[in-house]
């Protein structure tokens, strides 16, 4: 039997990296190809334990390069594409939206074209709940797959645009696609510019934690391992053309998240520093995951169990994040926060 070839884009990043490891271990009979440009957010040291395995392969390439994508797809004849590669940080999209348009929109279209050309069996586009915009603080309102797209940041607008292209390739050309829209992830290998790893690393260094505005904005947190299992399920069981929201009903205000981490590490809330709010800061995200539940998915982590596992991981893997928060990141942090 010939092995199935799975292309994972962005597999050197946070979620894609966890997904690559999950797939390499779970499916020895699949060949997993990790395609990544290795931008500031990509790092291959996380794959030391799998890089010698026969079913793991790495390709350094830029998804925006349409010719390169076409010849690669013609050569390798991938069966499935799981598309994570993106610029993913809202604050960076506010400072420099251009690269978000290039990577997230133009790059997705290059992959769709190449996938159509070779008649791929499934294209899973990993999107975000941020495409729906924001909810108010009424706790009984949730994003469903039918919620209108109203993205507020350049990041979420670029993701919404790519979602629409993916949908169009299904409607126009019959490309077998799924779109997943997940809430905020956390867990191992989360890049320390995002709220949770930023807080853990700074609390461990006794540094101030910048909380935007009054800290009352709400995010719905999902452990990255639960997101990986959801994507695996959609890849194998998702109905072509369908969108699936992914989330575990773990809503917390940013202040609650930061205080939980400070408490778990035995430090003081005096580390919290309220700073100028993010422009266009979405108030609340909350997912209704019942459609995915009908496929048989349910999360295995609560926020309480997941955050403890994650904090322990950052304690055990200090070399990984310390190497990141030196160098280019230092300059970014100073410019962003003035702290
Ligand atoms: P990340 O920033 O950690 O990783 C992105 C990866 O894409 C990096 O390895 C980077 O090198 C690679 N990349 C960037 N530009 C590229 C290009 N032109 N060609 C090839 N590779 C390129 O992102 P993440 O947090 O792991 O998010 C992955 C995906 O999941 C994104 O599409 C994001 O929109 C989506 N998502 C993220 C979250 C979250 O909470 N982080 C939640 C829902 C959905
Ligand atoms: P983030 O991790 O950037 O994810 P997203 O913007 O995609 O939701 O931010 C999560 C929340 O934390 C968001 O409401 C913004 C807030 N935040 C802070 O208060 N301080 C920070 O330094 C960062 C990075 C985020």
């Amino acid at each position: 039997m010939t092995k199935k070839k799975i292309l994972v884009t962005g597999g050197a990043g946070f979620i894609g990296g966890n997904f690559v490891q999950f797939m390499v271990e779970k499916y020895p009979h699949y060949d997993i190809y990790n395609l990544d440009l290795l931008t500031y957010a990509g790092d291959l040291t996380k794959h030391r334990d799998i890089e010698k395995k026969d079913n793991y392969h790495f390709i350094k390439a830029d998804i925006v390069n349409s010719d390169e994508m076409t010849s690669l797809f013609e050569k390798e004849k991938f069966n499935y594409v799981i598309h994570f590669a993106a610029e993913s940080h809202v604050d960076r999209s506010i400072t420099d939206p251009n690269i978000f348009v290039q990577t997230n929109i133009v790059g997705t279209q290059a992959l769709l074209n190449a996938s159509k050309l070779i008649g791929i069996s499934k294209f899973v586009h990993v999107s975000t709940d941020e495409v729906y915009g924001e909810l108010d603080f009424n706790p009984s309102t949730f994003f469903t797959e039918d919620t209108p797209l109203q993205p507020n940041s350049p990041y979420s607008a670029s993701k919404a645009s790519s979602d629409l292209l993916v949908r169009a390739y299904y409607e126009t050309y019959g490309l077998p696609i799924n779109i997943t829209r997940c809430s905020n992830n956390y867990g191992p290998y989360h890049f320390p510019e995002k709220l949770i790893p930023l807080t853990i690393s700074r609390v461990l260094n006794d540094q101030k934690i910048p909380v935007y505005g009054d800290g009352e904005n709400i995010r719905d947190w999902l452990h990255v391992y639960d997101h990986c299992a959801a994507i695996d399920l959609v890849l194998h069981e998702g109905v072509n053309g369908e969108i699936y929201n992914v989330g575990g009903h773990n809503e917390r205000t940013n202040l609650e998240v930061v205080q939980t981490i400070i408490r778990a590490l035995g430090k003081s809330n005096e580390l919290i520093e309220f700073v100028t709010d993010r422009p266009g800061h979405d108030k609340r995200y909350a997912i209704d995951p019942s459609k995915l539940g009908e496929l048989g998915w349910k999360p295995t982590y609560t926020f309480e169990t997941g955050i403890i596992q994650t904090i322990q991981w950052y304690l055990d893997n200090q070399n990984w994040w310390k190497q990141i928060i030196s160098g280019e990141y230092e300059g970014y942090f100073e410019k962003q926060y003035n702290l």
Side-chain angles (χ1 to χ4, degrees), residues 195-196 198-211 254-274 303 307-308 311 315:
L195 180 68
I196 286 183
L198 177 137
T199 301
I200 299 173
S201 57
R202 290 185 69 86
V203 171
L204 286 172
N205 284 335
D206 286 310
Q207 291 167 311
K208 292 280 187 191
I209 317 303
V211 172
N254 293 335
L255 206 50
E256 284 168 341
V257 168
V258 169
Q259 286 171 345
T260 301
I261 295 169
I262 290 176
R263 200 167 42 246
L265 288 169
K267 298 285 174 74
S268 151
N269 283 341
E270 283 172 16
L271 286 177
I272 294 171
E273 176 142 337
F274 292 97
F303 186 71
I307 197 70
I308 293 302
I311 292 170
L315 284 168

